[in-house]
Amino acid sequence: ARYDIAALKSRLGGIKTEDNPALVRQKSRDFYWYSPTLKRQLDHVTADIIVSPMSEAQVVETLAACHALGIPVTPRGTGTGNYGQAMPLSGGVLLDLSGFNAVKDVALGRVVTEPGAVIAQIDRQTRPQSRQEMRLHPSTYSTASIGGFIAGGSGGVGSIRWGGLRDAGNVIRLKVVTMEASPRVLELSGDDLHKVSHAYGTNGIITEVEMPLAPAYDWVDVIVSFDTLREATEYANAVGEADGLLLKQLAVVDAPVPHDYFLRHQKYLPRDKPVAMAMVAAHAVSSLMGMTKRFRSAEVLFRSDRMSEADLKGLPPVFELGWNHTTLRALRVDPSITYLQVLYPFPNQVELVERIHARFGDEVPAHLEFVRFDGKVTCFGLPLVRFTTEERLEEIMAIHEEMGAPIFNPHRYTLEEGGMKQTDEIQLAFKREADPDGLLNPGKMIAWEDPTYDYRSGKTFLFRGLSEHA
Ligand code: FAD
């Protein structure tokens, strides 16, 4: 055995553990299988034991014991990440935080919760208590934990109004436990939040979060079709830039994706039409309809405020047609599909989208998510890819970059390769302080594992623990 799990269990007498191999394996995965590359690399990965602390004191106790025994610890919220973030590449402990999930305090403009709270569950408390809701949530609203969102997500529903999760003001305060002989509990706020935001739990365990809240409006789902992708993109861009229009979500998906893959909405969606999909406040729908009339080929296909409860029954909300739910719905119909993550930089996003998708045609159907990015409306892409080979996938990404659209590679499990392809010095420095033995989520931060790694080499980083297995 790699680690002394028996000794760990006897030290953690009062904390819930599980070492049934089938259950451990099940909890050792996330949605990594979206990527054929990650599926190949990570399929065998499993922890040795699940430890499920229910309080900060139990997190501290677990980390102290694992530190003493040299056992690696990989935190997990609810395991909905897409890049194998929560997969324990070196085995050891899978730290399941899903049961540590109370909503502790709701106030005007903010909420304090434990890390395992599912985001929809937070809103279920803040709405009736204070008519407020989370500003931002991933499309996995109903399943993702808030701690996992901060440590592993980037933004989503709400980003058209509030920007990304790491933008100033979108997280207020975090409590973080360090991985040391005597774990410390630190409070981070302001710029210090960058130490652990989107660090995949490689440098501390989040045990409390304070998040900003926004007014909870009644949101109406609207779907509008167009003759061309260009027109749908221009429409969404104009709607996104309309400062007075209260929106929570705004996306464009090219034909034939909506008709072919949004099965429960299929009867509303003609096969040859690209669509724009929005969540708009009920009192702003008439303004949105006014704007829509100005677009020649626009046709309103769907308005949730015009439908009976019976018709709406069984239909997912439009945000569950967007973000990585678009990919999920496509994958359910055609398992060979995968996806990319693309930035179309402001101010050329509309032209760039048209040029790139004209080049690839139906091999890479467009999916755009409109966001406010440093005060400017632009779009990210999560285009689908009709996958053939890993070589072709690499080629498609290279062409995007050549054409001026940077890729955030969703086929890599490391922070650096999935992000900006450079070391995050703040996160690295914090890891030296908070996890000096490198026991938290090993293999995910290249700068820690291999300080000499050359990002220009064009090679894929292969974590030692994984290459030994291969
Ligand atoms: P997990 O997958 O459990 O963990 C994510 C990362 O955080 C891991 O590295 C884990 O080790 C770490 N972690 C978890 N909890 C803690 C903690 N308490 N302390 C320290 N580290 C921790 N993401 C988006 O950003 N926007 C989207 O719109 C979006 N849409 C999605 C749609 C689908 C269909 C799917 C499958 C995924 C989507 N995702 C999206 C990715 C993912 O669902 C979200 O990022 C989600 O918030 C992750 O939460 P989780 O609890 O599942 O985290």
Side-chain angles (χ1 to χ4, degrees):
R2 285 180 285 190
Y3 311 111
D4 192 347
I5 298 300
L8 179 70
K9 273 171 84 170
S10 66
R11 284 187 66 144
L12 297 181
I15 303 176
K16 193 178 151 211
T17 61
E18 175 62 68
D19 58 6
N20 173 317
L23 296 176
V24 175
R25 195 178 145 81
Q26 195 181 31
K27 277 260 164 83
S28 298
R29 25 219 59 216
D30 57 16
F31 283 72
Y32 72 109
W33 50 267
Y34 267 42
S35 159
T37 312
L38 293 179
K39 179 150 178 44
R40 172 175 61 73
Q41 291 175 326
L42 304 183
D43 224 24
H44 68 278
V45 166
T46 188
D48 294 281
I49 187 168
I50 305 168
V51 180
S52 305
M54 307 290 273
S55 66
E56 188 173 275
Q58 292 192 344
V59 171
V60 169
E61 200 182 326
T62 306
L63 296 193
C66 290
H67 186 272
L69 295 164
I71 301 176
V73 172
T74 300
R76 182 187 205 262
T78 52
T80 68
N82 293 108
Y83 325 124
Q85 293 113 303
M87 294 179 69
L89 304 188
S90 294
V93 165
L94 195 288
L95 191 72
D96 164 28
L97 295 154
S98 62
F100 177 18
N101 62 8
V103 177
K104 291 161 76 169
D105 185 30
V106 182
L108 184 61
R110 59 202 172 80
V111 61
V112 179
T113 82
E114 292 175 349
V118 166
I119 300 171
Q121 171 210 337
I122 299 174
D123 278 1
R124 275 199 293 276
Q125 299 213 24
T126 59
R127 279 208 189 100
Q129 274 185 39
S130 67
R131 301 180 76 174
Q132 300 181 94
E133 63 187 17
M134 296 285 286
R135 284 180 177 178
L136 296 174
H137 63 76
S139 63
T140 42
Y141 180 60
S142 300
T143 49
S145 76
I146 186 64
F149 186 40
I150 293 168
S154 47
V157 184
S159 287
I160 183 59
R161 173 68 187 79
W162 298 102
L165 200 52
R166 274 171 285 176
D167 290 339
N170 282 333
V171 177
I172 298 171
R173 180 180 59 86
L174 299 173
K175 273 171 100 176
V176 176
V177 177
T178 63
M179 182 56 154
E180 298 171 279
S182 301
R184 291 170 291 156
V185 181
L186 306 177
E187 292 230 6
L188 303 179
S189 60
D191 273 358
D192 283 342
L193 293 166
H194 293 299
K195 293 175 176 173
V196 296
S197 284
H198 203 82
Y200 292 0
T202 55
N203 57 12
I205 304 300
I206 298 166
T207 51
E208 185 174 284
V209 312
E210 182 167 347
M211 298 296 282
L213 296 173
Y217 296 106
D218 288 330
W219 298 107
V220 173
D221 287 352
V222 176
I223 304 179
V224 186
S225 72
F226 297 87
D227 284 350
T228 61
L229 175 65
R230 169 82 189 204
E231 220 184 337
T233 311
E234 280 174 351
Y235 169 81
N237 208 70
V239 166
E241 284 182 342
D243 294 319
L245 211 55
L246 266 168
L247 296 174
K248 186 142 190 183
Q249 163 67 0
L250 182 60
V252 164
V253 183
D254 202 2
V257 172
H259 178 90
D260 284 0
Y261 305 134
F262 300 167
L263 298 182
R264 285 192 272 165
H265 285 82
Q266 195 172 50
K267 67 175 177 192
Y268 303 104
L269 305 168
R271 189 161 193 274
D272 58 344
K273 300 273 184 171
V275 299
M277 312 184 290
M279 271 170 86
V280 57
H283 56 276
V285 175
S286 55
S287 303
L288 177 67
M289 291 300 124
M291 276 190 80
T292 306
K293 282 202 198 92
R294 291 180 223 150
F295 286 76
R296 190 191 52 81
S297 71
E299 201 178 321
V300 179
L301 302 176
F302 183 92
R303 266 179 69 168
S304 61
D305 62 340
R306 286 287 169 85
M307 294 175 60
S308 69
E309 251 174 60
D311 282 338
L312 286 174
K313 209 164 162 252
L315 288 183
V318 286
F319 75 74
E320 287 181 3
L321 304 177
W323 296 96
N324 242 331
H325 271 80
T326 313
T327 323
L328 181 63
R329 289 180 196 285
L331 268 166
R332 281 194 185 139
V333 177
D334 180 350
S336 73
I337 281 176
T338 189
Y339 75 117
L340 295 177
Q341 299 178 147
V342 186
L343 175 64
Y344 309 101
F346 179 90
N348 303 314
Q349 63 271 20
V350 176
E351 278 73 30
L352 202 53
V353 165
E354 187 179 39
R355 278 202 297 124
I356 288 178
H357 288 284
R359 165 126 188 204
F360 292 111
D362 192 51
E363 186 184 10
V364 185
H367 165 200
L368 314 174
E369 291 289 345
F370 283 78
V371 297
R372 198 165 294 268
F373 199 53
D374 291 336
K376 299 180 178 78
V377 170
T378 190
C379 52
F380 275 101
L382 289 104
L384 300 181
V385 177
R386 300 195 194 273
F387 180 75
T388 47
T389 63
E390 287 185 30
E391 293 68 43
R392 177 60 183 159
L393 189 59
E394 294 294 327
E395 192 174 56
I396 293 170
M397 289 193 263
I399 295 171
H400 274 80
E401 301 233 337
E402 271 161 33
M403 294 179 81
I407 295 277
F408 299 84
N409 192 340
H411 306 282
R412 297 287 183 269
Y413 55 80
T414 62
L415 284 159
E416 290 94 338
E417 292 165 298
M420 302 301 289
K421 300 178 193 77
Q422 62 191 30
T423 304
D424 186 320
E425 297 293 347
I426 294 171
Q427 292 182 355
L428 176 62
F430 190 63
K431 186 168 173 75
R432 291 201 180 106
E433 214 181 286
D435 178 27
D437 293 359
L439 290 168
L440 288 179
N441 205 353
K444 306 294 168 64
M445 188 191 279
I446 299 178
W448 179 269
E449 307 295 341
D450 179 2
T452 65
Y453 186 76
D454 177 8
Y455 297 99
R456 287 157 307 174
S457 71
K459 280 199 294 248
T460 302
F461 177 76
L462 193 57
F463 177 50
R464 197 182 55 254
L466 279 181
S467 48
E468 276 162 11
H469 183 278

